[in-house]
Amino acid sequence: MISFIVNGKPARVDASSDTPLLWVLRDRLGLTGTKYGCGIAACGACTVHVDGVPARACAIPLSAAEGKAITTIEGLSADHSHPVQRAWIEAQVPQCGYCQSGMIMAAAALLKITPAPTDADIDATMTNLCRCGTYARVRRAIHMAATMGA
Amino acid sequence: MKPRLNDRAGPASRQSETVTPISFERHPFSAEVIRHAVWLYLRFTLSLRDVEELLAERAVEVSREAIRCWVIKFGPLIAANLRRRRCAPCARWHLGGVTLISTVSEMGQGSRTGQIQILADELDVPWDTITVEMAVDREPYRYDGGLYSGGSQSVRTRFDLLRKAGATARAQLTLAAAGRWGVGLAECEAAMGHVTHALSGRVARYGELAAEAARLAPPIDPPLKDAATRRYVGKSVQTLGLADKTNGAARYGIDVRMPGLARATIRQCPTYGGALVSVDEAPAFVVPGVRRVVKLQNAVAVVADDTWSAFKGARALEPKWTTPPLRLNSTGLPDRLTAAFEADGATVASTAGADALAVRARLRVAFAAASKTVQATYEVPYLSHSPLEPMNAAAWVKPDRVEIWAPCQDISNLRVAVARALGRPVDQVEVNVTLLGGGFGRRLKNDYGVQAALIAQAHGGPVQLVWRREEDMAHDFYRPASRNRFRAALTQGDLIAGYEVVGATTDDTAVGGAGPAPYAIQDFANTQTALATGVPVGSWRSVDASITTFGRESFIDECAKAGSRDPLDYRRALLGDHARARRVLDAAAEGIGWGQARGAGSGVGLALFEGWETLICHALEVETAGRKLRVRRIVVAVDCGTAVNPDQVKAQCEGGSLMALSAALGEAMTFTDGSADQTNFDSYPLLRMSQAPQIDVLVISTPGVPIGGMGEPPVPGLAAALANAVFAACGERVRRLPFRAVGWSA
């Protein structure tokens, strides 16, 4: 039995310890906002925050989540009003939207560490994949969110 | 303030701040449908069967058992909220909303939003009072015989139809009001969801009049609104459903959930055309949670309590497969494609048309008389679609009904395929279309849906099949590989008098995209051959044009070079008096700063394309340093006639250009002994943020012409614009994609 916090609430999960956190979130805890894209931490669709730090949930075995505080896209804000979320809407970023949970979690983490990121900062840290090609809008929205006081 | 659609609101947006928000999470049906069903059951003396029928009339297929559960779960909550916001006793509650029943799957292209805008203008309602439901696959809801999303036609082919529908309904509603009030029709005006009789001050909402209006004979040719009075078409209203994509609420196929849902994954024969011989099931059952192993003709599936257990169980198996005779090795492919189109009698398809003999005769004359001839051969690889959401579908095979939940683009075809696979009548198969995490043509196919149905049949309850990424990438219906030789006869001014294309494509004939449009080159012949390789192929965003436009637009530059002419001037000369093409060409060239002096290693390139009734021009600026390439900027000038939603048009131009850039820079599928070499993003690299340049899109309008499509036109020209820019920057002509394969890194 592994215990941890998800979006501020305690969770206790009885599953094999090698189960990736991604699948624990999606299949055991009903949190489907975190997405499966590749399973090898190459695409970032599964990005969550672990103790405030961005991490790819497909690469975190359940055993490593013990005692941690996990934030998923559902918990980024109580009422969907995080500056990144608001900027994403203002800039009309998502197309199919499947990668955007991970993209937003990565952007939110970037802005916490670097409140006014340069394009070079964005290039270096935003390595999430988007097949629909929303990168130009993601970049614009990150700059926008920075001015909104992320 | 831009109009916003809160698409989780109830009809007619009467949300009050004091009511308790109700969560409809994890229900496959929208909040609107659930609320409406519960309201019907509670408000009127209807049976569950009555409610089921009423919903079916509005193209919502839901069982009365589900309705019973909704009533139990949501009834008390909704009733409590109703009590809180009940107004004064004289107020009346009308449903009042408009439902657009759309045949379009939503995969990020924004077509539903465009359709709502068109309808809202002609029907004259606030656009956020229109909700969209997916059509079921039966008449009269089908479009052109089916439910299909692809071919860049979801908005442009419905433009006239939706306008007429809106105008027709508006005319009927106005007539109904006039009849009810006993006043002259000309004295009534329908606007923003109400009909008003100004002289008496009487007002009625559309919802109140709808029943009467429906009984009136629809007018044959209702007047359509003047473009100048449009409220929504031409405006960048916010995309439907976008907010849900920023907070985890959007539900894709892979997110479908229902009580008792088992999870499955699949291992398919790694060699195309092979079959399953045998598999020892025991290793799968070592994994806790694995419930069953299902053998299919060319695959084995593992069903478990949860997805990870299914993945583990499937990986533990060691299936034995047959070895089919036709197995592709990519190393020999270019030579084989060349041999295919050089062979005598290689023609499978030719686009010389009805006067083929005359065209070829003229081409022979042109080549004989040519001052110069130019020849070049271009090669493109197999490409994977790789939508971020891997293939998946859920299915439940019941005694009298088969239900599928799938992110799919071709519903009609899927129903037929599932029915055939299970030996059931098509009428028994229902497909619930979910949101798609990318389509690009991959989800036109039935494979994953049929597999889910067969697995569910074996299992007995509802099952969700999720492919691992490795299966998705290795079992695509790839964009084919192709080699095309272009040869042109140049005449006065070194302009192209005529040209021919001879080419071979794997398991397909790429007949589109190599032709002369929009240039005024009269004589053109395309002779294509298909080379059988056994690797499955399908439609990849822009289909044939994704294969041949790279060659066509690179070749235009090579012909310009043969005559020492500037590529922009050369194109202008070739266009004749095609004003729309000229406009996008000039706009893109000006946007990129054509003609400005540039330093060593810096260059700009152009590519012009016409297709799906849209004119589009890409202009790229690149920098090269040794073998390193950087795309600095992309300018896209596009004319799709009327941009129903300019921001959506821009988004498609941005997204399509970046998808094309991704392919051009680094994507290639190769095969060894009939199996895919690449199985995940570590070996099939998609474009990343750091490689994505600034993109500027110029939307140019031409009123009064048919609307052009936007899903695919931004793709074909990009690769040639890149090659042309690299040539300008450093003098190297790349004729084979991806750039990575010929030593460039980006």
Side-chain angles (χ1 to χ4, degrees):
Chain A
M1 187 72 75
I2 312 280
S3 302
F4 49 99
I5 313 278
V6 179
N7 298 333
K9 298 204 193 89
R12 283 162 59 77
V13 175
D14 187 10
S16 67
S17 59
D18 70 343
T19 309
L21 179 61
L22 167 65
W23 296 111
V24 171
L25 293 169
R26 288 186 56 79
D27 285 355
R28 301 299 184 116
L29 300 178
L31 294 165
T32 56
T34 307
K35 304 301 188 198
Y36 168 69
C38 70
I40 60 167
C43 77
C46 64
T47 305
V48 295
H49 297 169
V50 178
D51 289 344
V53 173
R56 293 186 177 173
C58 71
I60 302 172
L62 179 59
S63 54
E66 174 76 60
K68 300 282 197 288
I70 315 286
T71 309
T72 70
I73 184 70
E74 291 92 340
L76 184 62
S77 66
D79 52 357
H80 321 311
S81 63
H82 190 283
V84 171
Q85 291 170 316
R86 287 190 284 125
W88 248 240
I89 293 172
E90 189 61 37
Q92 296 277 281
V93 174
Q95 288 191 24
C96 88
Y98 190 79
C99 75
Q100 299 295 342
S101 295
M103 195 74 79
I104 286 169
M105 294 305 281
L110 166 62
L111 285 162
K112 213 149 152 213
I113 299 168
T114 313
T118 61
D119 280 340
D121 293 329
I122 292 172
D123 282 350
T125 51
M126 295 299 294
T127 58
N128 296 49
L129 294 179
C130 171
R131 191 45 156 168
C132 297
T134 65
Y135 296 125
R137 293 191 183 211
V138 169
R139 187 187 297 277
R140 195 180 315 145
I142 289 174
H143 288 309
M144 211 184 273
T147 68
M148 290 177 179
Chain B
M1 171 96 169
K2 281 184 261 187
R4 288 173 188 273
L5 174 64
N6 175 359
D7 51 351
R8 304 184 89 192
S13 314
R14 273 197 303 282
Q15 290 275 320
S16 155
E17 287 306 316
T18 61
V19 302
T20 308
I22 298 173
S23 169
F24 295 95
E25 261 176 46
R26 298 190 291 284
H27 283 258
F29 289 94
S30 67
E32 286 86 349
V33 169
I34 296 175
R35 281 182 195 277
H36 186 52
V38 172
W39 172 73
L40 284 171
Y41 183 79
L42 294 177
R43 174 68 179 78
F44 303 102
T45 52
L46 297 171
S47 68
L48 291 170
R49 172 181 277 245
D50 291 334
V51 176
E52 188 186 49
E53 253 187 65
L54 284 169
L55 290 181
E57 273 305 299
R58 294 184 70 192
V60 177
E61 302 265 335
V62 58
S63 72
R64 41 193 182 277
E65 177 58 22
I67 298 167
R68 189 183 72 83
C69 293
W70 292 348
V71 170
I72 291 167
K73 180 169 178 184
F74 297 112
L77 299 171
I78 294 176
N81 281 341
L82 286 175
R83 279 191 286 277
R84 266 181 229 130
R85 64 168 188 239
R86 184 177 293 146
C87 36
C90 63
R92 293 177 63 197
W93 182 6
H94 295 279
L95 187 57
V98 179
T99 303
L100 170 62
I101 295 167
S102 176
T103 59
V104 172
S105 300
E106 181 50 66
M107 47 188 165
Q109 78 281 43
S111 303
R112 290 182 175 185
T113 306
Q115 291 184 348
I116 286 179
Q117 288 172 255
I118 300 165
L119 180 63
D121 268 344
E122 290 299 336
L123 181 56
D124 216 319
V125 291
W127 83 292
D128 59 355
T129 59
I130 301 179
T131 53
V132 180
E133 283 171 16
M134 184 76 197
V136 286
D137 183 31
R138 68 168 123 87
E139 300 301 343
Y141 302 106
R142 289 181 178 138
Y143 183 83
D144 207 17
L147 301 187
Y148 172 93
S149 303
S152 304
Q153 40 90 16
S154 296
V155 170
R156 72 183 163 107
T157 59
R158 313 297 203 273
F159 186 68
D160 290 340
L161 192 64
L162 284 166
R163 291 188 74 195
K164 189 163 183 197
T168 303
R170 186 163 158 265
Q172 286 171 279
L173 290 160
T174 314
L175 192 57
R180 180 191 279 195
W181 298 326
V183 301
L185 181 61
E187 296 167 16
C188 298
E189 203 211 332
M192 290 306 258
H194 296 75
V195 182
T196 308
H197 182 240
L199 291 174
S200 66
R202 276 178 283 196
V203 181
R205 281 188 242 174
Y206 282 8
E208 299 175 58
L209 300 163
E212 277 163 66
R215 286 193 283 273
L216 300 171
I220 307 290
D221 245 327
L224 299 176
K225 291 206 175 170
D226 194 68
T229 65
R230 283 176 184 155
R231 209 175 272 125
Y232 302 115
V233 168
K235 306 285 187 301
S236 296
V237 299
Q238 291 204 338
T239 309
L240 198 63
L242 191 136
D244 279 355
K245 294 174 180 174
T246 67
N247 57 31
R251 311 288 295 225
Y252 299 82
I254 204 173
D255 304 319
V256 165
R257 297 288 182 267
M258 64 196 78
L261 182 70
R263 314 302 169 78
T265 197
I266 199 159
R267 293 262 309 268
Q268 300 168 90
C269 178
T271 316
Y272 308 111
L276 179 68
V277 172
S278 67
V279 61
D280 175 11
E281 301 184 7
F285 288 101
V286 171
V287 178
V290 167
R291 296 208 224 153
R292 146 188 344 262
V293 174
V294 180
K295 293 183 209 166
L296 302 179
Q297 187 267 332
N298 61 354
V300 56
V302 172
V303 184
D305 291 334
D306 63 280
T307 317
W308 179 246
S309 301
F311 281 13
K312 275 174 73 171
R315 276 211 298 267
L317 296 174
E318 286 181 5
K320 303 276 180 284
W321 314 100
T322 63
T323 306
L326 188 61
R327 303 190 302 281
L328 177 66
N329 280 293
S330 283
T331 46
L333 186 58
D335 290 341
R336 290 177 61 201
L337 286 168
T338 304
F341 69 68
E342 285 183 348
D344 280 341
T347 310
V348 172
S350 171
T351 56
D355 59 347
L357 288 177
V359 169
R360 289 189 189 276
R362 285 200 301 270
L363 279 171
R364 273 197 294 277
V365 168
F367 278 110
S371 51
K372 297 186 183 97
T373 61
V374 180
Q375 178 172 303
T377 301
Y378 304 92
E379 189 182 317
V380 298
Y382 285 99
L383 295 177
S384 154
H385 293 82
S386 287
L388 255 288
E389 181 193 16
M391 295 305 110
N392 67 85
W396 193 347
V397 178
K398 301 171 193 172
D400 60 342
R401 187 185 172 90
V402 178
E403 274 202 80
I404 310 285
W405 293 260
C408 65
Q409 295 174 246
D410 192 337
I411 291 87
S412 326
N413 240 308
L414 178 57
R415 287 183 69 216
V416 168
V418 166
R420 187 178 302 137
L422 297 181
R424 296 281 190 104
V426 179
D427 281 347
Q428 282 189 12
V429 180
E430 289 303 333
V431 171
N432 303 292
V433 183
T434 66
L435 190 58
L436 280 68
F440 313 120
R442 176 58 177 96
R443 294 199 225 254
L444 292 168
K445 298 299 185 184
N446 306 318
D447 51 336
Y448 51 93
V450 169
Q451 288 169 354
L454 290 170
I455 294 164
Q457 182 177 58
H459 182 63
V463 183
Q464 178 181 60
L465 169 67
V466 176
W467 287 19
R468 294 171 61 238
R469 173 59 56 186
E470 289 77 5
E471 286 292 320
D472 187 287
M473 193 171 286
H475 293 277
D476 201 337
F477 288 81
Y478 302 95
R479 200 287 304 271
S482 186
R483 263 198 132 214
N484 288 277
R485 189 181 66 208
F486 285 68
R487 196 165 78 100
L490 305 188
T491 180
Q492 274 177 326
D494 290 313
L495 293 179
I496 300 172
Y499 72 105
E500 61 178 16
V501 178
V502 182
T505 302
T506 55
D507 297 273
D508 198 358
T509 49
V511 291
Y519 304 109
I521 300 169
Q522 187 194 13
D523 294 323
F524 159 74
N526 185 3
T527 308
Q528 289 291 324
T529 300
L531 176 72
T533 65
V535 173
V537 295
S539 300
W540 190 97
R541 193 173 184 184
S542 79
V543 199
D544 286 4
S546 83
I547 293 170
T548 48
T549 307
F550 167 60
R552 207 281 300 274
E553 280 300 291
S554 296
F555 190 62
I556 298 284
D557 263 39
E558 298 212 57
C559 292
K561 172 89 170 37
S564 302
R565 294 191 63 158
D566 172 272
L568 171 61
D569 282 338
Y570 196 70
R571 285 182 169 79
R572 284 173 173 152
L574 288 175
L575 281 177
D577 58 3
H578 196 319
R580 289 178 73 194
R582 181 66 192 259
R583 261 203 303 275
V584 297
L585 175 67
D586 287 347
E590 187 189 326
I592 205 71
W594 190 271
Q596 287 171 11
R598 288 172 202 279
S602 174
V604 291
L606 293 168
L608 181 62
F609 176 76
E610 177 177 3
W612 295 277
E613 303 194 90
T614 288
L615 277 306
I616 187 166
C617 187
H618 285 88
L620 260 67
E621 180 191 344
V622 304
E623 270 168 19
T624 61
R627 303 305 293 168
K628 284 193 62 66
L629 157 64
R630 183 157 179 104
V631 181
R632 280 265 154 248
R633 198 162 150 241
I634 300 176
V635 172
V636 184
V638 63
D639 176 356
C640 58
T642 299
V644 171
N645 188 317
D647 193 59
Q648 278 300 317
V649 168
K650 286 185 186 171
Q652 289 304 299
C653 287
E654 293 163 12
S657 298
L658 289 185
M659 187 168 179
L661 181 62
S662 180
L665 286 178
E667 292 183 37
M669 288 295 303
T670 59
F671 303 89
T672 302
D673 220 21
S675 295
D677 294 330
Q678 294 78 21
T679 58
N680 212 318
F681 298 126
D682 51 352
S683 50
Y684 190 87
L686 300 188
L687 193 81
R688 291 186 188 271
M689 168 76 80
S690 57
Q691 301 166 296
Q694 176 188 335
I695 308 180
D696 297 311
V697 182
L698 310 163
V699 179
I700 294 166
S701 290
T702 301
V705 299
I707 292 189
M710 280 313 308
E712 292 165 288
V715 173
L718 188 295
L722 176 63
N724 293 337
V726 167
F727 181 79
C730 70
E732 180 175 323
R733 172 56 64 183
V734 172
R735 297 194 184 93
R736 186 179 143 215
L737 296 178
F739 274 66
R740 186 168 64 109
V742 293
W744 286 95
S745 68

